[in-house]
Amino acid sequence: MEGVDHLADERNKAQFDVEEMKIVWAGSRHAFEVSDRISRLVASDPAFRKDNRTMLGRKELFKNTLRKAAHAWKRIIELRLSEEEASRLRFYVDEPAFTDLHWGMFVPAIKGQGTEEQQQKWVPLAYKMQIIGCYAQTELGHGSNVQGLETTATFDPQMDEFIIHSPTLTSSKWWPGGLGKVSTHAVVYARLITDGRDHGVHGFIVQLRSLDDHLPLPGITVGDIGMKFGNGAYNTMDNGVLRFDHVRIPRNQMLMRVSQVTREGKYMQSNVPRQLVYGTMVYVRQTIVADASNALSRAVCIATRYSAVRRQFGSQNGIETQVIDYKTQQARLFPLLASAYAFRFVGEWLKWLYMDVTQRLQANDFSTLPEAHACTAGLKSLTTSATADGIEECRKLCGGHGYLCSSGLPELFAVYVPACTYEGDNIVLLLQVARHLMKTLVQYRSNVLKAEDWLKPNVILEAFEARAARMSVACAQSLSKIDNPEEGFQELSADLVEAAAAHCQLIIVSKFIEKLQQDIPGKGVKQQLEILCNVYALFLLHKHLGDFISTGCITPKQASLANDQLRSLYSQVRLNAIALVDAFNYTDHFLGSVLGRYDGNVYPKLYEEAWKDPLNDSVVPDGYHEYVLPMLKQQLRSARL
């Protein structure tokens, strides 16, 4: 029934202050108030409608995205939104667009790698959207191996210019978002060549299109790379292909904060430490971890609410059992709920880490940089892989209806899954973490305490520390037996990836435990977070039981006790499940899911959505008289079958 909260009984079971949990999830009261206000602003604006997105053709879909991006910019100016508010507005509009790369990659690249003079020239133009930029690094033939990029930037000392050129087909820039149809400028990564010498890959600001008629400038071939996975999904983004035919740019459009080319063509390092470049990478990857928490929490919210609405089997007095009450459903769903919170808190820590590293770099302190680089690389890999898998699991948890576009889950998956590849392939990143571990071999405590009570943080933490340490040591010992270190690394890469993942899981568990040591206000809030922390850790222990037992971290008896505790924890989560996803504070507009509606009024809305499909515009489908009727009337020409 319209206007009735079908999940009211579930919400009344909550054993904690949901409003306070919303603040914990947002990170602060201020962040909550901004997000709450902006999300409602977007939800109430019909210009940001998105329920028809999966039914639009590519051209119409893309034009619709341009319209929304323009409307969003108009509202940002009219309402005089701060940078934080504008960022939240783009987030809640919830549509991949050229603006994502402009604000998320183009601007940070100039701020991180440009000189003060370059920033003064280009950043104001970008902030006013007088130019629109993208980040052109990946090529048709090279992605993760940045040092293998083929685009060249050759200095011409006579003209004081760089000549940007694509010498091969595989040197074509391929994938940059915003490049295909919109961007006027790009930060292009190319091999710097002066006087015949290759100085490696550097960044250059290159204008691509005329600011008058938007046509590509001479020597530039640019377009869209075509349809991608999913219906609407990431097809709102104009991922592009770009080729240069001896395109000339002024020397001062090389990003020169770290290294420079003089008027005479001499290549030299500036007095700014080269390590500063890594600050941008740390920033981008910490935002990706935060995005993982956002995407997983959306999927979990949909699956949890629908699991409480849906009833199947176990009929007593004519009332069937809620799907969420089945232990198999809980064992699949609740670890994902716990993971959403875990990723949120490790994302908060990474945000702090980025600020700490930035301050240290400015003071010429590089001591924490290798660990920060390894942490962000590993956590980007772990959280994005777990989130992509988790969204798909949530779709399956919703049964057949989860396969409908109106469930919101297929599109959420299609939009999210490229995160496993962009900004570093996830396996390649874990191997980078493994290299760091082999160099440092962090000495964890490895004596596990009595395991009778698996709810003690120190017991959990020491088990994860021991597992991570012993897996790393085992890899190091195996490497030492192989004469050629690089060959050994290749041979043992599968084991090294597992050791790196164990290290990253330890970080997430430890940061969740650290969060619990803070002063957390609100009735029952801290207790619920403790339950979720234990669910996350004990689920990982159960999932990777072989690692924990084979490395001698725990005994089979202790593993059995831990599993008993995990089952007990699921029962505690069950009472609060709906309230815990309500704490994400997502509007129905943002969720974009009939199954995940706040009021739980699923079935009438599913029925209503079905009739909106263009196929239902006519009772008799186009093509019936041409193809189906002749079949029915036996009027098709004879054929040998």
Side-chain angles (χ1 to χ4, degrees), residues 377-596:
L379 291 171
K380 182 273 178 185
S381 173
L382 199 79
T383 57
T384 55
S385 291
T387 296
D389 293 344
I391 295 169
E392 170 62 4
E393 186 69 7
C394 284
R395 183 193 66 77
K396 290 186 281 192
L397 283 163
C398 292
H401 295 333
Y403 194 62
L404 285 168
C405 283
S406 59
S407 76
L409 292 166
E411 189 167 6
L412 179 57
F413 178 75
V415 166
Y416 187 76
V417 77
C420 296
T421 308
Y422 63 60
E423 284 307 300
D425 175 85
N426 282 357
I427 298 300
V428 173
L429 291 179
L430 284 178
L431 287 170
Q432 289 179 12
V433 177
R435 284 189 187 277
H436 171 73
L437 290 175
M438 293 304 99
K439 287 177 185 174
T440 57
L441 267 183
V442 180
Q443 294 301 306
Y444 305 112
R445 294 168 292 167
S446 57
N447 55 317
V448 179
L449 303 180
K450 291 190 300 180
E452 280 76 9
D453 186 357
W454 273 102
L455 303 184
K456 292 180 180 176
N458 61 323
V459 173
I460 290 172
L461 196 56
E462 290 193 13
F464 275 82
E465 286 178 339
R467 171 204 179 210
R470 292 175 190 181
M471 288 177 74
S472 290
V473 168
C475 285
Q477 289 172 341
S478 298
L479 278 172
S480 68
K481 297 172 185 175
I482 302 174
D483 293 336
N484 185 316
E486 201 53 44
E487 285 182 8
F489 201 85
Q490 294 296 330
E491 180 67 26
L492 296 167
S493 58
D495 293 341
L496 287 161
V497 163
E498 291 180 1
H503 175 73
C504 295
Q505 287 165 350
L506 165 63
I507 292 173
I508 297 174
V509 169
S510 68
K511 296 310 166 188
F512 207 148
I513 289 172
E514 281 181 20
K515 180 73 176 181
L516 296 173
Q517 292 167 353
Q518 298 175 10
D519 181 28
I520 300 174
K523 172 180 169 286
V525 170
K526 189 169 187 175
Q527 182 186 3
Q528 291 307 311
L529 292 178
E530 287 170 348
I531 291 168
L532 290 173
C533 179
N534 289 328
V535 166
Y536 179 73
L538 296 185
F539 170 75
L540 285 180
L541 189 147
H542 177 71
K543 184 179 179 182
H544 301 284
L545 202 52
D547 292 348
F548 284 92
I549 291 179
S550 66
T551 52
C553 302
I554 63 173
T555 65
K557 174 65 175 174
Q558 291 169 335
S560 178
L561 289 169
N563 211 34
D564 291 342
Q565 286 289 0
L566 183 57
R567 277 196 304 274
S568 173
L569 288 166
Y570 289 155
S571 297
Q572 295 177 57
V573 174
R574 166 64 188 95
L575 290 171
N576 297 280
I578 293 299
L580 285 167
V581 299
D582 283 351
F584 302 148
N585 201 39
Y586 293 146
T587 63
D588 283 346
H589 173 273
F590 180 67
L591 276 184
S593 170
V594 172
L595 304 187

Side-chain angles (χ1 to χ4, degrees), residues 120-181:
Q120 287 170 12
K121 176 181 178 180
W122 296 102
V123 172
L125 294 172
Y127 266 62
K128 294 173 186 172
M129 297 288 281
Q130 291 175 321
I131 61 172
I132 296 170
C134 66
Y135 187 87
Q137 177 174 291
T138 299
E139 294 178 354
L140 187 58
H142 289 88
S144 296
N145 181 16
V146 175
Q147 296 311 311
L149 295 179
E150 299 176 84
T151 303
T152 57
T154 306
F155 184 63
D156 178 355
Q158 287 188 323
M159 301 298 292
D160 196 24
E161 293 174 335
F162 287 106
I163 303 168
I164 312 294
H165 185 59
S166 305
T168 62
L169 180 68
T170 50
S171 69
S172 305
K173 294 300 178 184
W174 192 273
W175 277 115
L179 170 64
K181 292 294 173 185

